Amino acid sequence: MPEQQCPEPPHRTTTVETGRFCAARCSCGWRGPARRARSKARADAAAHGESP
């Protein structure tokens, strides 16, 4: 009987603001670089969520 593999949990990304900077973070422990533009931090989070 083959072993069943549990699917990996989905990545839950958020953005966190610290002073003038914004960074993307994920539930898996990944952290993106600090950005001045929120849109770039959101793009980092989206790119991480699409990666395998």
Side-chain angles (χ1 to χ4, degrees):
M1 182 177 221
E3 291 184 31
Q4 289 183 330
Q5 294 182 356
C6 295
E8 290 186 28
H11 290 270
R12 293 185 186 167
T13 56
T14 59
T15 55
V16 179
E17 292 189 33
T18 306
R20 294 184 178 197
F21 294 92
C22 186
R25 293 189 183 166
C26 183
S27 59
C28 73
W30 172 85
R31 289 182 175 199
R35 306 283 195 172
R36 287 186 185 227
R38 288 184 193 101
S39 60
K40 287 188 178 184
R42 284 192 297 266
D44 291 340
H48 173 72
E50 294 172 357
S51 66

